[in-house]
Amino acid sequence: MNSNSDFIPVSKPYLTQEAKTFVVDCLDSGWISSKGAYVERFENEFAEKCGAKHAISVSSGTAALHLALLCLGIGSEDEVIVPDLTFAATANAVILCGATPVLCCVNKDEWTLDVNDAEAVLSDKTKAIIPVHLYGNPARMHEINDFAKRNGLSVIEDCAESLGATLDGRYLGTFGDMGCYSFFANKLLSTGEGGMVTTDSDALALKIRTLRDHGMSTEKRYWHDIAGLNYRMTNIQAAIGVSQLNVFDEFAKARSEQEALYKKYLTDVPGVIFKRVIKGAIPVNWLMSLRIDEALSGISAAELQGILTEHQIESRLFFYPLHQQPPYSNERAALKSTDVLSSSGLSLPTFVGLSCEDIQRVCEIISTAITNRQRSLSK
């Protein structure tokens, strides 16, 4: 953590006093591992919040994806369609199952999976598709579900960055067979590490719970029906999760207000482009993410990041496209479109406690940098 009082991080968690109270309660009770009242309470309250029948807590968002794939029987010789622009965990979970992630283009305006390109990469080995609601923006779930149904595919929603976002009044994570969430420290709801799988299927929920708990029988302790994993959430993490869930709506509202301020100050700045939101969707402001069109602004996203750093403001460039990276290397020509989106993306400070003055300062630096660059180029 930078100690400079002028430093603005790109993200940081916000823990309430209730979180400390619940954690101390865990310590006093002695229930600090995966057994304890807070685990079940967190799962039940999370399911109710999202409108899902089941919520199964796990040790991370990656574990959630891995378990979701495993319980569908995804394995060797299978293919799973994933968007080219996402955090690597989406593809890593597929590889951990012995299957092959097949990279799909993303829409340059919405930043989410392009269903038309999914049609292009479909094969007789394709068994599932993982739409990612990138940077809190809902993917086209109705079209994706139609595509999946026509082709007999399972749908796993990667909701790591989109808890609280809705489409046609329904929470994301309830459109596919399963929804997978992350509670890493930079997420809207954080337990430090941790994750959740939601589903309306009793059978899938039972499989996930069994795989998560070493493959142990729910009827006969220490009897293992299958070889499983230890992907359990601790009672301490769940206690923090319960406290976060209690104030989640307030957190989401604060981030929404921050997004409105960013747009107020940056909408008329040349070259600043915000994501397009599909009809019926209400995104969440996980990180205030936007694109910098260098042709219009005269400056690249990477250069702006450097200028912000000089002013003690942390920011993040978009994820590298998966097709550029060694484990997922893919030379399909269509994926080159992701390069432009990735290289032009920039995420700005977003967290509970970020002040209006902080946002104004960030925006002034961006606006001034673009103005100065345009002036120098026009000489």
Side-chain angles (χ1 to χ4, degrees), residues 105-346:
C105 293
V106 296
N107 182 290
K108 69 179 181 64
D109 298 314
E110 298 161 13
W111 314 344
T112 57
L113 189 145
D114 185 333
V115 186
N116 291 327
D117 196 54
E119 296 273 6
V121 298
L122 182 72
S123 79
D124 57 4
K125 294 182 178 181
T126 309
K127 296 297 186 293
I129 184 169
I130 308 179
V132 178
H133 306 296
L134 196 69
Y135 300 119
N137 199 29
R140 292 179 173 266
M141 287 310 305
H142 297 310
E143 295 175 23
I144 291 168
N145 280 347
D146 286 346
F147 164 75
K149 186 175 182 180
R150 290 197 314 272
N151 295 287
L153 308 181
S154 298
V155 179
I156 301 171
E157 293 178 72
D158 186 333
C159 305
E161 302 164 0
S162 61
L163 175 60
T166 62
L167 179 61
D168 294 335
R170 284 173 56 188
Y171 278 100
L172 300 182
T174 64
F175 288 86
D177 296 281
M178 286 167 281
C180 296
Y181 303 81
S182 168
F183 304 139
F184 186 63
N186 62 9
K187 300 303 190 290
L188 278 84
L189 185 157
S190 174
T191 59
E193 289 280 3
M196 193 78 76
V197 183
T198 56
T199 183
D200 286 337
S201 166
D202 294 343
L204 290 178
L206 178 59
K207 285 183 180 179
I208 294 167
R209 290 188 186 279
T210 303
L211 283 166
R212 177 196 64 175
D213 296 335
H214 299 282
M216 193 184 303
S217 169
T218 57
E219 306 295 330
K220 189 177 180 181
R221 189 158 178 77
Y222 298 121
W223 180 268
H224 298 81
D225 296 309
I226 56 175
L229 298 153
N230 180 6
Y231 275 167
R232 297 173 298 194
M233 174 179 281
T234 69
N235 199 41
I236 292 175
Q237 289 173 307
I240 298 172
V242 171
S243 73
Q244 293 265 293
L245 202 56
N246 285 342
V247 290
F248 178 79
D249 289 341
E250 296 172 37
F251 284 5
K253 182 174 182 289
R255 286 171 177 256
S256 177
E257 291 169 350
Q258 289 168 7
E259 181 176 20
L261 278 175
Y262 272 118
K263 288 184 174 181
K264 173 184 175 181
Y265 293 125
L266 294 176
T267 292
D268 295 326
V269 177
V272 174
I273 302 173
F274 301 101
K275 65 180 177 290
R276 184 173 66 194
V277 179
I278 62 174
K279 183 179 179 181
I282 300 178
V284 294
N285 185 30
W286 171 53
L287 285 179
M288 185 60 220
S289 301
L290 45 80
R291 288 183 56 215
I292 303 298
D293 187 330
E294 189 172 356
L296 297 174
S297 66
I299 196 168
S300 69
E303 287 178 291
L304 267 181
Q305 182 187 43
I307 292 170
L308 288 167
T309 299
E310 291 173 0
H311 287 82
Q312 297 295 301
I313 296 169
E314 186 181 23
S315 60
R316 261 179 45 176
L317 299 176
F318 276 16
F319 299 123
Y320 291 105
L322 293 178
H323 79 262
Q324 293 182 3
Q325 303 177 56
Y328 334 99
S329 181
N330 189 316
E331 297 183 358
R332 189 166 69 94
L335 296 174
K336 299 299 181 184
S337 62
T338 316
D339 296 343
V340 177
L341 172 57
S342 171
S343 64
S344 64
L346 186 66

